[in-house]
């Protein structure tokens, strides 16, 4: 008899409910989450504890968390097959986070480039949470014995820190944690600002023309892409010398599945006007089904609350198994 290994690998990733996600969040992370949901045991969630590092009006944070949750369901992630949850609903995240703090060196955390960037951006509120943020992220990942973590390039350094913490803990106490691998897509892993294409696309950018939000209407998407910064050469090809055009090619390729060569061939002899119109159309079509589903789901508050409670219960079952093991290993009276 043939033995088939039916054990599925575990995939985990979270997104912060700090506002409406951008096309960068979608192409760099969410789109891959949806693709992986059939083949793997997936755990996806809203990182609301991480969002406390930036002051937000309480009612707004709650609303955004619910919206992010609706968005995850709108990605066609099946809450029956996968675990879709909210981080703060499973207190084990904070508990493991504290323990891992004691297994992370100050200098390691201080090297994180996102901490340095965010400290500059939020100069009036450089709180300890901002510093501790990657260690809570490590707890999120390690609690579930995750094999793969689908993220954009900006999270790669945090994944490396997670791997270091896990390996250090394992060498002290035996194999407690699985050491996870980042999963970074070939396309869309670092979508750049439409106005300053040397900078990452970010929803916290003061210039609203620099990003596309997942809830932007077709008209707004058209306008933002039309005003995207390019160059004076009027030839569509991929090059580090042409960050604006290359970014639009990356976006177009992510939405259509076309390679850079195919895109270059499609627009040979054509100007940026035709190219931008095609990019806008591809983005609009890519987002349309997601927006339709989201608009419907976001009004179903009772369904969202109920589904999040089921997600938290399923997540907790796995998380507390790992936390229990860790507590015993480090000598907490249990
Ligand atoms: P967050 O909420 O900033 O972003 C969510 C995901 O979107 C990706 N991303 C991008 N990808 C491509 N181009 C961009 N311009 C772009 N901007 C954002 C991010 O890489 C991320 O994958 N700390 C995390 C949330 C988190 C987490 C976790 C992730 C908390 N716990 C555990 C993975 C595993 C964050 O702030 O992502």
């Amino acid at each position: 008899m043939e033995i088939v290994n039916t054990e599925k690998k575990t995939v985990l990733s979270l997104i912060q409910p700090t506002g409406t996600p951008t096309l960068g969040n979608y192409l760099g992370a969410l789109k891959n989450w949806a693709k992986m949901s059939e083949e793997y045991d997936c755990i996806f969630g809203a990182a609301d504890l991480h969002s406390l590092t930036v002051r937000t009006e309480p009612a707004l944070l709650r609303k955004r968390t619910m919206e992010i949750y609706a968005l995850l369901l709108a990605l066609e992630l099946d809450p029956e097959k996968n675990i879709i949850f909210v981080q703060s609903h499973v207190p084990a995240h904070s508990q493991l986070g504290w323990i891992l703090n004691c297994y992370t060196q100050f200098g390691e955390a201080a090297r994180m480039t996102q901490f340095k960037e965010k400290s500059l951006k939020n100069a009036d509120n450089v709180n300890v949470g901002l510093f501790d943020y990657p260690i809570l992220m490590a707890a999120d990942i390690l609690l579930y014995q995750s094999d793969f973590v689908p993220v954009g390039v900006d999270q790669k350094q945090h994944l490396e820190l997670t791997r270091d913490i896990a390996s250090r803990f394992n060498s002290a106490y035996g194999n407690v944690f699985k050491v996870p691998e980042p999963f970074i897509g070939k396309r869309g892993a670092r979508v750049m600002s439409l106005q300053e294409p040397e900078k990452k696309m970010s929803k916290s950018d003061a210039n609203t023309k620099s990003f596309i939000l997942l809830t932007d209407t077709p008209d707004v998407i058209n306008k933002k892409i039309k005003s995207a910064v390019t160059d004076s050469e009027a030839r569509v090809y991929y090059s580090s010398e042409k960050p604006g055009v290359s970014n639009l090619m990356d976006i177009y390729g992510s939405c259509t599945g076309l390679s850079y060569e195919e895109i270059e061939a499609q627009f040979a002899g054509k100007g940026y006007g035709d190219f931008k119109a095609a990019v806008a159309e591809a983005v609009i079509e890519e987002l349309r089904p997601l927006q339709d589903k989201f608009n419907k789901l976001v009004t179903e508050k009772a369904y969202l609350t109920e589904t999040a409670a089921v997600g938290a219960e399923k997540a907790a079952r796995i998380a507390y198994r790992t936390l229990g093991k860790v507590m015993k290993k480090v000598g907490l009276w249990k």
Side-chain angles (χ1 to χ4, degrees):
M1 199 177 75
E2 197 190 346
I3 298 174
V4 183
N5 182 5
T6 54
E7 205 171 291
K8 281 186 175 178
K9 300 262 187 202
T10 299
V11 165
L12 171 136
S13 203
L14 271 59
I15 178 167
Q16 285 198 68
T18 37
T20 307
T22 66
L23 186 66
N25 294 125
Y26 176 75
L27 296 177
L30 302 175
K31 190 174 157 93
N32 290 329
W33 300 8
K35 275 197 211 147
M36 295 171 108
S37 66
E38 281 297 317
E39 198 181 332
Y40 299 96
D41 278 333
C42 290
I43 305 168
F44 296 124
D48 55 344
L49 294 172
H50 278 100
S51 293
L52 292 178
T53 54
V54 176
R55 282 295 162 271
T56 312
E57 212 255 301
L60 183 61
L61 177 59
R62 250 189 302 276
K63 178 171 173 277
R64 284 175 171 171
T65 306
M66 202 180 255
E67 284 174 359
I68 275 281
Y69 193 84
L71 185 76
L72 296 184
L73 296 183
L75 286 168
E76 304 283 354
L77 298 172
D78 182 347
E80 302 272 325
K81 283 200 218 138
N82 304 296
I83 297 178
I84 320 286
F85 79 118
V86 176
Q87 186 188 33
S88 68
H89 294 176
V90 183
H93 290 248
S94 313
Q95 290 169 284
L96 183 63
W98 173 256
I99 297 174
L100 297 183
N101 276 335
C102 306
Y103 291 81
T104 309
Q105 294 304 301
F106 188 89
E108 281 181 299
R111 273 200 295 277
M112 297 295 110
T113 51
Q114 267 211 356
F115 169 66
K116 293 182 203 162
E117 284 166 19
K118 290 193 176 179
S119 309
L120 289 176
K121 248 191 197 168
N122 304 288
D124 56 341
N125 183 22
V126 185
N127 57 74
V128 177
L130 206 56
F131 184 71
D132 198 25
Y133 167 118
I135 296 126
L136 179 60
M137 181 166 158
D140 299 338
I141 297 168
L142 299 178
L143 272 178
Y144 299 92
Q145 307 293 347
S146 314
D147 293 282
F148 301 115
V149 184
V151 285
V153 168
D154 63 334
Q155 297 298 326
K156 197 163 171 247
Q157 197 187 27
H158 294 159
L159 254 294
E160 277 155 17
L161 178 66
T162 302
R163 288 170 56 85
D164 288 346
I165 297 172
S167 305
R168 180 175 312 140
F169 200 92
N170 286 348
S171 51
Y173 300 108
N175 271 342
V176 178
F177 296 127
K178 195 166 265 175
V179 181
E181 302 273 349
F183 177 93
I184 296 177
K186 284 200 185 76
R187 296 289 183 74
R190 191 169 165 80
V191 177
M192 308 308 275
S193 154
L194 298 177
Q195 293 298 316
E196 294 166 85
E198 308 73 26
K199 259 176 48 181
K200 184 183 83 165
M201 180 182 284
S202 164
K203 57 187 161 250
S204 58
D205 200 314
N207 184 349
T208 56
K209 283 204 278 183
S210 71
F211 53 72
I212 290 173
L213 298 179
L214 295 190
T215 49
D216 279 347
T217 60
D219 189 41
V220 170
I221 295 174
N222 249 319
K223 283 196 183 120
K224 286 182 177 174
I225 291 188
K226 220 180 237 171
S227 71
V229 167
T230 47
D231 51 64
S232 54
E233 198 187 3
R235 247 187 75 211
V236 176
Y237 66 99
Y238 197 91
S239 156
S240 56
E241 317 263 284
K242 292 166 74 73
V245 169
S246 299
N247 186 38
L248 291 176
M249 286 178 74
D250 188 40
I251 292 172
Y252 189 58
S254 295
C255 294
T256 58
L258 293 173
S259 67
Y260 294 142
E261 292 74 27
E262 287 168 328
I263 299 171
E264 283 174 25
Q266 186 182 347
F267 295 99
K270 294 188 184 151
Y272 289 157
D274 286 344
F275 175 51
K276 284 180 167 178
V279 176
E281 192 53 31
V283 171
I284 292 166
E285 287 315 314
E286 176 77 25
L287 298 186
R288 194 188 302 279
L290 181 68
Q291 293 184 338
D292 290 347
K293 195 124 195 257
F294 171 77
N295 290 333
K296 190 169 160 289
L297 276 164
V298 80
T299 60
E300 298 178 15
K301 295 227 165 71
Y303 171 69
L304 295 175
T305 309
E306 216 173 276
T307 313
V310 173
E313 205 183 300
K314 289 203 279 184
R317 241 176 271 150
I318 308 173
Y320 280 101
R321 214 181 300 143
T322 304
L323 182 68
K325 235 194 243 177
V326 169
M327 288 174 77
K328 268 201 200 133
K329 291 283 187 189
V330 299
L332 296 171
W333 188 5
K334 204 175 162 339

